[in-house]
Amino acid sequence: MASETAGGTTLEVLRRLESGPRGLTETEAAARLLTHGENTLPDRHTPSWPRRCAHALRDPFTAVLLCLGLVSAAVASWGTAVVILALVAVSCVLRASGEHRADRSMAALRELVAGTATVLRRDDAREPPRAREVPVTELVPGDVLRLGPGDLIAADVRLLRARGLAVYQGALTGESAPVGKTAVEVPGEGTAGGGPGDGGADGSGAVSSSGGDALSPAVGEAAADGSGGPGGNPFEAPHLCFQGSAVARGTATAVVVATGGGTRFAAAHRQPATRLGGGAFDRSVQGISWVLIRFMLLTPPLVLMANAALRGRGLETLPFAVAVAVGLTPEMLPVIVTTCLARGAALLARTHGVIVKRLPALHDLGAVDVLCVDKTGTLTQDRPVVERALDPAGRDDPEVLRWAAVGAWWTLQLAELPAPDALDEALLEAAGPVGEEYDGVDAVPFDPVRRFSTAVVRGSLGRHTVVVTGAAEAVVERCTTEPGERDRLLALAAREADAGLRVLAVATADRPAGAPGPPGTRGLTLRGLVTFRDALAPTAAEALRGLADRGVTVKVLTGDHPATAARACRELGLDPGEVRTAAAQPADPEAAGEATVVARCTPEDKARIVAALRAAGHTVGFLGDGVNDVAALRVADVGLAPRSAVGVARESADVVLAEKDLRAIGHAITAGRHASGNIASYLRVTLSSNLGNVVAMLAAGLLLPFLPMLPAQVLAQNLCFDAAQLAFAHDRPGAAALRGPAVLRPRSFLRFVTGFGLLNAVADLATFAVLAFALDGPDAVDDEAVFHSAWFTENLLTQALVMLLLRTGRRDGASRTPGPVSLAAAGLAAVGLLLPPSPLGTALGMTALPAAYYLLPAVVLGLYVLALTAARARQGRRQP
């Protein structure tokens, strides 16, 4: 474990690891990789097939089916027991195979976002160390890491140096706030500022923290052996960081003490992992499922009591009662859910580079109705562009832009900046090739305290021109102005800033070549103002329109100035409404969702607003890419991050995008709604049909002198229907399913199922009446085989019609080419017509029907189609 290796002084730890502050050589690292293995967690994602099948039994519907099968076997109803147990076996195998395919797909997708770490390595022992990026899987004990903000800590480490370091370790401790860490040397471990004999982490002997907080001796002594702080908690050890943590702020150098299965994270990983709660769609399905299970468990005793009281039949009706209960079970639900989600995730990765790390998140994507985004990099590009150049009177003047570009050019040439300033790049891009016509003399770069930069170029003979650019207040203060002119110029700058523009003031002065003193301090002449706007993301406007068409409300949570955020929204066609600052955002969850733009947001503000939106009943997606977005990513129903995000943000997200592009989110939401729509279609069709059949069977069982259908026939019919409905996993719902969030409202859904189920029951009872009285008179019911065969056929034909007419968005999804559901419905109808006269039908107790028996039931089916179509039309475009 990490604590065992990390105990003792820093010098002792490095000696124990046979390493030093300069890191390992490539040869040593390769040898240790062979000895210790790759830095990966113990594989618990590939259980055996028997274990997968056993896990499938935890599904409530499958468990109820198994119990019903065992009850049938207990009363020696072997045919019923065999069919039920076959259904259980098929369900388990299909679900296990679906999970196996999903695991393989997810393993391949995770490799696309595999992280790297910065280590100090040497080609040989004589060369100085060089920082290099290596895959985290290649880290070994003794490697020296460099850590910075946003880095994931990929192994258990002991700090050698730290400056202002704080880490998120909620993955191990559940703490949401970052925890301060320091490379403190406590009394008894060595000299506090000393280090190993071969020098500190920087080769100077300074191993102790150069910026960490001092700790009390009590904490230090508790952590001296690596056991942690008070109470022996290793996560309180100030000098240890653990795999699964992430750097919130600060920098550090650390030595790896444990990798792979030896880390604390691996120990926690070996414990059963449970995910609390669930998405909106999952909660709705679970609510519906438990209502059905209660009804299923009540059905057998009700059938037994009714038959015993009215017909004098006792336990001999138990197999029939069990078969009726099985008929109500959507036993293919786990298979449909797994297949839909796995196919949707694989399609997103293949076509749009979107990686769904947690399969249930695809459900939640389909249910998202509020998407929270930042402005910079999402709605706008991370660069400014010049909007206008104004003279002091507020008129357009290109000369102002030219002088600003001259100052930018020579500041870049003479000030030795590590990287060009974004505003300077925008000035040079807008002004073109300027500045080279002058000879540069000197330059002082922009300073956040002075708030301006200065460049000096040669002017006329013996003269220099000083060019000063910077914040309006700082530059105007140094200009020579008439009384009242200063306030007017500042008001002009404030007006431009209130319009959402950045403002740069430009001033010049003519000086003798030998004038002493710092250039450009006083006596300047204001040339004017240059304004900048944020360059809009080229695809943002189109993506926002697409999200609005899908019923998704976009909210902008940004740290920028309110006017800047509002201007970007207006230019993209998004009405910002009343722009609020985070400090003014109300605490009431209902009121929290009113503002479209919330400016001046801190990381805590973003997480608070997302939580308030969820409390108000919204399903919230959050797009973020920085350390400051981690808290909100974890609070949201669905956290989204681009592949270029910092490691901790990418790991905290449920969905990883190829780029920070709202169009990719639109594609992901569409895929989520496709998957959820197919699952809703399956539930709608199977429950409506099954409920109608169960009600009809219960009524017929009390009205007829014999069972309306033999148990084996009920189960065979159920098996055929289940097999046909697997086609829903491959269906493409129509446009109606994509217009709004895919949320199942249990009450509305159960009303839908009950209404169409009773309509189906009426059709079944009408078929009974036709079979009993309309053909050969009351004695026709004496031929049980004919009755069973006719109703078996009518049931499968009815179920085929329901598959076609109750699909999600079927009218908008009509196509010239038959889809998988249409083909499956046709196959189901063919089985209904051909099975009774076949040898298998004979074995099930059925027989061929006279031609006349197809005519009047066909009339009943025709009337049923008309009634079903009319009822469906009344639903309009509302989906339960």
Side-chain angles (χ1 to χ4, degrees):
M1 298 294 291
S3 58
E4 297 170 358
T5 311
T9 66
T10 304
L11 176 60
E12 291 169 345
V13 170
L14 290 172
R15 285 176 175 170
R16 193 178 301 129
L17 293 168
E18 297 182 355
S19 181
R22 299 194 302 160
L24 303 174
T25 66
E26 291 290 353
T27 302
E28 290 172 335
R32 296 189 186 194
L33 186 62
L34 292 175
T35 303
H36 295 276
E38 290 190 343
N39 180 34
T40 57
L41 293 175
D43 190 1
R44 63 179 182 124
H45 296 291
T46 53
S48 63
W49 275 90
R51 181 169 295 180
R52 287 186 188 274
C53 292
H55 288 174
L57 294 176
R58 294 182 300 183
D59 176 76
F61 287 122
T62 307
V64 169
L65 273 180
L66 179 61
C67 292
L68 293 175
L70 295 177
V71 169
S72 299
V75 297
S77 180
W78 301 112
T80 303
V82 167
V83 175
I84 293 176
L85 295 177
L87 284 173
V88 171
V90 170
S91 177
C92 290
V93 170
L94 288 175
R95 181 169 185 177
S97 62
E99 290 179 349
H100 177 67
R101 288 194 301 270
D103 283 350
R104 285 194 305 176
S105 298
M106 291 306 299
L109 296 178
R110 286 178 186 275
E111 292 180 1
L112 298 177
V113 290
T116 60
T118 303
V119 301
L120 295 180
R121 292 270 181 89
R122 296 168 289 160
D123 291 330
D124 59 56
R126 294 184 300 275
E127 293 189 2
R130 291 188 299 113
R132 59 192 72 184
E133 294 287 323
V134 301
V136 296
T137 56
E138 296 181 9
L139 292 179
V140 295
D143 264 329
V144 174
L145 300 182
R146 285 184 176 173
L147 302 172
D151 286 348
L152 285 174
I153 299 175
D156 289 357
V157 300
R158 164 72 179 254
L159 296 177
L160 301 178
R161 297 186 67 205
R163 181 180 293 275
L165 183 66
V167 302
Y168 289 110
Q169 52 185 28
L172 292 160
T173 65
E175 298 171 281
S176 58
V179 178
K181 296 287 184 176
T182 179
V184 63
E185 291 279 6
V186 298
E189 284 197 329
T191 304
D198 57 349
D202 59 353
S204 63
V207 180
S208 66
S209 169
S210 57
D213 300 330
L215 296 180
S216 67
V219 175
E221 290 168 4
D225 63 351
S227 62
N233 184 355
F235 303 116
E236 295 179 5
H239 54 297
L240 299 179
C241 297
F242 301 92
Q243 184 183 41
S245 305
V247 179
R249 58 179 179 268
T251 59
T253 302
V255 61
V256 174
V257 297
T259 60
T263 64
R264 290 275 177 180
F265 192 73
H269 182 80
R270 283 189 284 269
Q271 302 300 320
T274 57
R275 185 178 182 84
L276 299 178
F281 196 92
D282 284 334
R283 292 192 296 269
S284 299
V285 171
Q286 289 172 7
I288 294 168
S289 299
W290 284 110
V291 170
L292 293 173
I293 287 172
R294 293 187 188 101
F295 188 71
M296 287 168 53
L297 295 177
L298 286 174
T299 299
L302 287 175
V303 173
L304 290 175
M305 289 187 293
N307 275 274
L310 298 178
R311 292 290 179 182
R313 296 191 292 254
L315 285 178
E316 64 268 20
T317 61
L318 180 60
F320 174 72
V322 170
V324 170
V326 172
L328 188 62
T329 309
E331 55 268 7
M332 290 294 107
L333 180 60
V335 179
I336 296 289
V337 169
T338 302
T339 305
C340 286
L341 296 182
R343 290 187 73 251
L347 182 64
L348 274 176
R350 187 169 62 250
T351 57
H352 302 294
V354 176
I355 300 172
V356 181
K357 296 167 54 183
R358 180 176 63 86
L359 278 184
L362 201 56
H363 271 326
D364 300 337
L365 274 172
V368 162
D369 62 337
V370 174
L371 177 66
C372 297
V373 301
D374 195 0
K375 176 184 72 68
T376 304
T378 305
L379 304 182
T380 63
Q381 300 180 53
D382 197 10
R383 65 182 183 86
V385 294
V386 172
E387 176 73 4
R388 298 177 67 190
L390 306 173
D391 66 11
R395 298 184 297 265
D396 289 333
D397 185 356
E399 191 68 9
V400 177
L401 175 62
R402 189 182 73 83
W403 277 115
V406 169
W409 170 261
W410 284 109
T411 300
L412 289 173
Q413 300 302 314
L414 300 176
E416 299 182 357
L417 298 175
D421 180 81
L423 294 182
D424 288 344
E425 288 187 323
L427 288 170
L428 295 173
E429 181 179 346
V434 297
E436 296 184 41
E437 65 272 24
Y438 296 96
D439 291 329
V441 176
D442 194 8
V444 179
F446 180 86
D447 181 84
V449 177
R450 296 183 304 130
R451 302 178 66 202
F452 64 87
S453 63
T454 305
V456 182
V457 298
R458 296 187 190 279
S460 57
L461 183 63
R463 309 291 290 181
H464 288 167
T465 300
V466 179
V467 183
V468 177
T469 57
E473 296 87 348
V475 175
V476 170
E477 181 183 350
R478 288 164 174 75
C479 293
T480 303
T481 57
E482 298 294 330
E485 180 71 3
R486 179 178 180 275
D487 292 339
R488 188 189 68 80
L489 294 172
L490 292 178
L492 173 63
R495 189 162 59 249
E496 295 297 319
D498 289 341
L501 299 172
R502 302 189 200 182
V503 179
L504 187 73
V506 184
T508 61
D510 190 49
R511 295 280 190 269
T521 52
R522 296 290 171 185
L524 303 174
T525 300
L526 185 70
R527 290 284 183 171
L529 306 174
V530 180
T531 61
F532 302 83
R533 59 176 173 83
D534 289 326
L536 301 178
T539 62
E542 174 192 351
L544 288 173
R545 288 193 297 269
L547 290 170
D549 291 341
R550 294 176 175 89
V552 178
T553 300
V554 175
K555 296 190 179 295
V556 181
L557 310 182
T558 179
D560 272 353
H561 189 282
T564 304
R567 181 187 182 94
C569 291
R570 283 193 295 268
E571 290 179 347
L572 291 170
L574 179 64
D575 183 9
E578 178 190 355
V579 180
R580 294 176 179 169
T581 59
Q585 185 73 348
D588 180 18
E590 293 293 337
E594 295 176 358
T596 299
V597 178
V598 183
R600 302 300 192 195
C601 283
T602 65
E604 294 77 16
D605 291 329
K606 293 180 180 181
R608 176 175 57 83
I609 293 169
V610 170
L613 288 168
R614 291 190 66 191
H618 297 285
T619 303
V620 184
F622 181 85
L623 174 64
D625 61 355
V627 176
N628 61 332
D629 295 321
V630 170
L633 284 168
R634 291 173 175 168
V635 170
D637 290 285
V638 185
L640 304 106
R643 198 176 299 175
S644 58
V646 298
V648 62
R650 192 173 61 233
E651 195 65 23
S652 300
D654 301 302
V655 178
V656 177
L657 311 176
E659 297 177 356
K660 197 175 183 181
D661 187 347
L662 288 179
R663 291 181 304 175
I665 299 178
H667 294 310
I669 289 174
T670 298
R673 291 182 181 177
H674 272 150
S676 299
N678 286 340
I679 295 167
S681 284
Y682 166 75
L683 284 171
R684 184 179 300 113
V685 168
T686 192
L687 295 180
S688 298
S689 180
N690 289 354
L691 181 62
N693 287 339
V694 167
V695 171
M697 285 184 184
L698 293 177
L702 300 178
L703 296 174
L704 296 176
F706 54 83
L707 293 178
M709 194 176 288
L710 298 178
Q713 295 166 355
V714 175
L715 296 173
Q717 169 193 284
N718 197 45
L719 184 60
C720 293
F721 191 32
D722 286 337
Q725 287 183 102
L726 290 174
F728 281 116
H730 304 273
D731 194 21
R732 288 189 62 82
L738 308 180
R739 295 193 185 108
V743 178
L744 283 176
R745 299 173 180 86
R747 291 185 179 179
S748 175
F749 189 87
L750 291 173
R751 282 198 303 269
F752 179 99
V753 169
T754 302
F756 282 95
L758 293 177
L759 182 60
N760 191 15
V762 169
D764 286 342
L765 293 174
T767 302
F768 295 163
V770 167
L771 293 173
F773 301 108
L775 293 178
D776 297 325
D779 294 337
V781 296
D782 292 339
D783 192 340
E784 297 182 20
V786 171
F787 186 92
H788 292 160
S789 302
W791 195 25
F792 182 88
T793 298
E794 185 270 345
N795 260 340
L796 290 189
L797 292 176
T798 301
Q799 290 168 338
L801 291 171
V802 170
M803 287 181 65
L804 293 175
L805 296 177
L806 295 189
R807 288 169 56 204
T808 300
R810 60 172 187 85
R811 289 163 296 181
D812 298 311
S815 173
R816 295 176 181 269
T817 305
V821 173
S822 300
L823 294 175
L828 185 63
V831 170
L833 293 170
L834 300 177
L835 183 61
S838 70
L840 181 57
T842 302
L844 292 172
M846 292 185 286
T847 185
L849 294 174
Y853 273 74
Y854 292 103
L855 297 179
L856 288 176
V859 174
V860 173
L861 287 176
L863 295 174
Y864 173 67
V865 169
L866 293 177
L868 192 62
T869 304
R872 189 71 173 111
R874 290 190 60 186
Q875 292 288 324
R877 296 183 177 182
R878 293 181 292 112
Q879 298 292 345

